[in-house]
Amino acid sequence: MRYGRGPEVLSDVSLSLPRGSFHFVTGPSGAGKSSLLKLIYLAARPSSGAVRLFGEDVTTLGGGDLPRIRRRIGVVFQDLLLLDHLSAFDNTALPLRIAGHKPSEYRNDVAELLTWVGLGQRMNALPPTLAGGEKQRLAIARAVVARPEILLADEPTGNVDHEMALRIYRLFVELNRLGTTVIIATHDQDLVARSARPVLHLDKGRLRPLPPQGPAA
Amino acid sequence: MTDAPFDPARWRPASFLPDEDARDPALLFVIGVLCFLACLTALGVIAADRAASGWSSQLRSEATVIVRAQGGETPDAAAARAAEVLAGVAGVSEARALEKEKAYELIRPWLGDVAADLDDLPVPRLVAVGLDRRKPATAATLSAALKGQGLDAVVDDHSVWLKDIRHAAGVVRWTGVVIFLLIAGAAGAVVAYATRAGLAARRDVVEVLHLTGAEDAQIANLFELRFARVAAIAGAAGALAAGGLGVVLRLIGGGDGITPALPIAWIDLLAVLPCPVLAAIVAAVAARLTARRLIRQL
Ligand SMILES: Nc1ncnc2c1ncn2[C@@H]1O[C@H](COP(=O)(O)OP(=O)(O)OP(=O)(O)O)[C@@H](O)[C@H]1O
Ligand SMILES: [Mg+2]
């Protein structure tokens, strides 16, 4: 794929991930990790080739069909994309509200999830008043709250300490255990090594799958 | 640093778009002024209509007959006889020969102040005819009845005036409609502009909503509701101002509250009531069309 008339940032990337799998995407800065995720969460279309999700070719879908697919995908954006005018609670509830659920159905789940990621005391806080790591955890809470079938996380542990990174990783593992397909783009080699999960390594827009590293979890 | 205890049970979903965007005073002012003008137009048209229908019902309910004496008959006798004949015609409620002075008054402008000598001249006399309001006799019927009794008379049922008044009232009404449409169009354009600005200012919000699976219609809805509410508030303010002005006009209209040129009745002031609703509808439509078109282009 390419951005506008720019150079190709991903070339000859061909991969197929089974449902319920857990992958890391690694590679140096600028390698195209975020771009690959964008293709999957439908923020970008490939300039050639196709993306299939849930057995459907999403590259040919009209705009009207995208929401249906996007609601099945949770994303932790690299730049978080929190809504600054909404409280932590409102930010987290966003996907559920968009999907048309009633507050009474999800209120307690949202509160519980926020408490779980350590934001129990900050539910009413606006994102600009949160610390970097708190924002990151908020973005993660929003991404997972609707129990998506696919979870894409772009540098989800960039701003948190090691302890919290492991905690977040365990949350992803738990989701994966419940059936969610997880793809995490990260620079955190330590986490990758520790997890023993398959790695998709990108370098200058080309894909090099690596076998699981490190000891089995 | 901790917040006040947060109780999820008391949580109310906040609006997706920042609330402060909705409090744009310039937009409120512009729509308010447009609504004020629209209400004044409506009141003006209603008042003009009322004046026209007042005049024409008065004109319709009366006719004037000019009687010229013939043969040896004196003008007064001819007029009296004509009045008698006319009173017997169906659709006439009363017929009354006017005093000769009334007739003299009519021709004085042409003859100058020579009233004293007019008695010697065969000046035609006037008969004022009151017509049945529901089934007024036509000018032709009256003419025929008079001719049947050998009276030389001209019947004026004011149809010329009536036509003019009806025509003028029609012009006023259509002018009002055109002004109204222009104002509605201007309000729509202002809202379209504001929607565009709002979308541009909150592109980030729209993007997040999109990526989270919001449909275009859901996002357009946010803008639709927002501007409908703004327009309703502005419309209420404009209507209130126009209604207030109407009250002032009604009060300084004097006596029975009817100004000679534009009679405004208390009930007419109700015409400003639909203004907030109409403004909201116009704004909602404009915002929806604009937002949908722009969102599709994102
Ligand atoms: N919106 C964009 N418009 C144009 N070029 C872009 C855009 N986003 C990314 N790129 C380019 O695409 C290439 C890949 O970027 P990408 O963000 O996918 O890298 P990354 O692997 O996620 O890097 P990082 O580890 O720093 O997040 C880079 O050369 C970048 O400059
Ligand atoms: Mg990136």
Side-chain angles (χ1 to χ4, degrees):
Chain A
M1 74 163 282
R2 53 178 89 234
Y3 290 96
R5 291 158 175 273
E8 254 188 359
V9 298
L10 290 174
S11 342
D12 287 338
V13 173
S14 175
L15 61 130
S16 165
L17 307 180
R19 269 178 208 237
S21 61
F22 193 125
H23 283 85
F24 282 104
V25 180
T26 60
S29 182
K33 303 182 292 296
S34 298
S35 304
L36 177 64
L37 296 190
K38 276 182 198 166
L39 287 177
I40 306 175
Y41 63 76
L42 308 178
R45 283 175 194 262
S47 33
S48 68
V51 178
R52 294 181 69 84
L53 290 174
F54 312 115
E56 227 178 313
D57 184 354
V58 292
T59 27
T60 57
L61 286 181
D65 289 315
L66 298 184
R68 183 169 53 80
I69 308 273
R70 282 173 174 153
R71 287 178 192 184
R72 300 167 73 178
I73 303 173
V75 188
V76 182
F77 303 98
Q78 185 164 18
D79 34 13
L80 305 184
L81 300 183
L82 297 169
L83 297 186
D84 285 348
H85 62 284
L86 294 183
S87 68
F89 197 93
D90 273 293
N91 264 290
T92 309
L94 189 75
L96 298 164
R97 286 178 65 187
I98 287 177
H101 295 291
K102 286 203 213 63
S104 56
E105 295 168 9
Y106 57 74
R107 256 195 200 122
N108 294 326
D109 296 349
V110 171
E112 203 176 306
L113 177 60
L114 280 172
T115 307
W116 201 90
V117 298
L119 293 174
Q121 300 301 311
R122 309 288 280 143
M123 291 196 245
N124 215 10
L126 298 178
T129 70
L130 294 176
E134 289 177 320
K135 284 188 216 175
Q136 196 136 39
R137 286 179 268 151
L138 177 54
I140 290 165
R142 185 182 64 187
V144 304
V145 73
R147 298 186 177 236
E149 291 166 63
I150 299 179
L151 177 74
L152 306 171
D154 201 345
E155 298 288 354
T157 56
N159 270 316
V160 295
D161 61 36
H162 196 64
E163 194 115 336
M164 185 46 83
L166 280 180
R167 201 174 154 85
I168 289 167
Y169 170 68
R170 280 200 296 274
L171 173 63
F172 293 158
V173 170
E174 178 63 17
L175 277 170
N176 179 245
R177 209 176 53 78
L178 294 171
T180 299
T181 308
V182 178
I183 305 170
I184 302 174
T186 186
H187 288 290
D188 189 343
Q189 283 306 325
D190 191 47
L191 187 65
V192 175
R194 203 183 252 271
S195 70
R197 300 285 181 170
V199 174
L200 304 164
H201 187 77
L202 280 173
D203 196 3
K204 299 200 187 87
R206 300 204 172 252
L207 184 66
R208 194 149 47 84
L210 299 178
Q213 301 180 352
Chain B
M1 196 176 80
T2 51
D3 299 296
F6 178 80
D7 179 6
R10 303 207 3 227
W11 170 75
R12 294 278 165 279
S15 54
F16 287 146
L17 296 172
D19 280 331
E20 67 261 23
D21 291 9
R23 290 190 281 270
D24 181 354
L27 182 64
L28 275 167
F29 179 72
V30 172
I31 298 181
V33 167
L34 288 172
C35 288
F36 174 72
L37 295 176
C39 286
L40 283 192
T41 309
L43 287 180
V45 169
I46 290 173
D49 234 39
R50 180 183 297 281
S53 78
W55 294 333
S56 50
S57 87
Q58 204 176 332
L59 284 175
R60 225 189 331 266
S61 66
E62 55 192 35
T64 312
V65 176
I66 302 165
V67 183
R68 276 187 293 262
Q70 265 181 328
E73 217 173 15
T74 65
D76 288 330
R81 200 153 64 80
E84 210 169 305
V85 169
L86 290 168
V89 177
V92 172
S93 56
E94 66 160 330
R96 191 166 51 86
L98 297 182
E99 308 77 33
K100 59 188 176 198
E101 283 75 21
K102 281 262 165 66
Y104 293 171
E105 249 167 56
L106 283 178
I107 53 176
R108 177 161 303 139
W110 286 275
L111 296 186
D113 200 1
V114 289
D117 309 326
L118 284 176
D119 286 345
D120 304 333
L121 293 170
V123 176
R125 290 290 188 276
L126 297 176
V127 177
V129 180
L131 298 174
D132 187 342
R133 270 174 201 263
R134 264 190 240 124
K135 260 187 106 210
T138 62
T141 319
L142 298 182
S143 287
L146 291 167
K147 202 160 282 165
Q149 295 301 316
L151 284 159
D152 177 14
V154 180
V155 176
D156 173 12
D157 65 353
H158 306 157
S159 54
V160 174
W161 299 115
L162 277 172
K163 219 174 101 201
D164 279 357
I165 290 176
R166 219 173 289 137
H167 185 72
V171 169
V172 168
R173 209 173 301 138
W174 283 109
T175 309
V177 168
V178 169
I179 293 177
F180 211 85
L181 290 179
L182 282 176
I183 291 176
V190 169
V191 170
Y193 188 81
T195 306
R196 181 185 297 271
L199 259 167
R202 299 299 169 185
R203 242 194 123 111
D204 49 346
V205 177
V206 172
E207 190 196 357
V208 172
L209 294 177
H210 251 153
L211 291 178
T212 315
E215 284 161 11
D216 290 357
Q218 273 177 302
I219 298 171
N221 243 345
L222 300 175
F223 288 92
E224 193 180 326
L225 286 177
R226 153 147 309 173
F227 287 113
R229 191 165 323 132
V230 168
I233 293 169
L240 207 65
L245 186 58
V247 167
V248 170
L249 285 180
R250 175 71 172 70
L251 288 178
I252 62 174
D256 50 358
I258 297 214
T259 44
L262 282 180
I264 293 182
W266 289 117
I267 186 121
D268 295 351
L269 297 179
L270 296 180
V272 307
L273 284 185
C275 178
V277 176
L278 290 179
I281 292 174
V282 168
V285 169
R288 182 189 199 86
L289 294 179
T290 313
R292 286 213 160 196
R293 189 165 46 81
L294 292 179
I295 289 169
R296 217 175 298 132
Q297 289 167 4
L298 284 182

